[in-house]
């Protein structure tokens, strides 16, 4: 199933999974949010890059305009961002 799909993400954090047999609407869609732990505030992840490990179909890493790397899942009950790492001072 996943060998015939495409994943896209925009700078407003909107992630879509597309079926190549039907590109008119996304098969799945989710918003990527990061959470500020001290204030519990949600903000959209400003994505500039997306990567999957070889043979991986669920876990991803995205780089953001804010210098953070974000990890997450596409499918399941924990779809969305699951962690973040701030190590850069510019966009990734």
């Amino acid at each position: 199933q996943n060998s015939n799909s495409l994943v896209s993400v925009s700078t407003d954090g909107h992630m879509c999974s597309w079926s190549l047999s039907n590109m008119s609407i996304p098969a799945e869609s989710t918003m990527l949010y990061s959470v500020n732990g001290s204030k519990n505030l949600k903000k959209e992840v400003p994505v500039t890059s997306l990567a999957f490990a070889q043979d991986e179909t669920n876990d991803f890493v995205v780089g953001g305009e804010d210098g953070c790397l974000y990890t997450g899942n596409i499918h399941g009950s924990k779809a969305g961002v699951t962690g973040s790492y701030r190590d850069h001072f510019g966009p990734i």
Side-chain angles (χ1 to χ4, degrees):
Q1 169 195 348
N2 291 316
S3 63
N4 294 319
S5 63
L6 171 75
V7 176
S8 64
V9 64
S10 60
T11 55
D12 67 354
H14 190 194
M15 178 178 270
C16 296
S17 179
W18 303 83
S19 169
L20 295 182
S21 62
N22 181 10
M23 295 290 289
S24 61
I25 59 170
E28 292 182 68
S29 175
T30 189
M31 285 298 295
L32 301 180
Y33 293 103
S34 64
V35 178
N36 180 330
S38 62
K39 297 181 182 177
N40 204 24
L41 298 174
K42 286 179 21 175
K43 70 173 187 167
E44 297 169 347
V45 174
V47 178
T48 56
S49 59
L50 167 68
F52 290 88
Q54 185 174 347
D55 298 324
E56 180 56 59
T57 58
N58 188 46
D59 300 339
F60 63 85
V61 176
V62 294
E65 290 177 347
D66 57 0
C68 289
L69 288 173
Y70 298 91
T71 58
N73 303 311
I74 292 180
H75 310 288
S77 62
K78 294 188 179 189
V81 173
T82 58
S84 65
Y85 308 91
R86 181 163 200 75
D87 288 326
H88 296 272
F89 295 105
I92 299 176

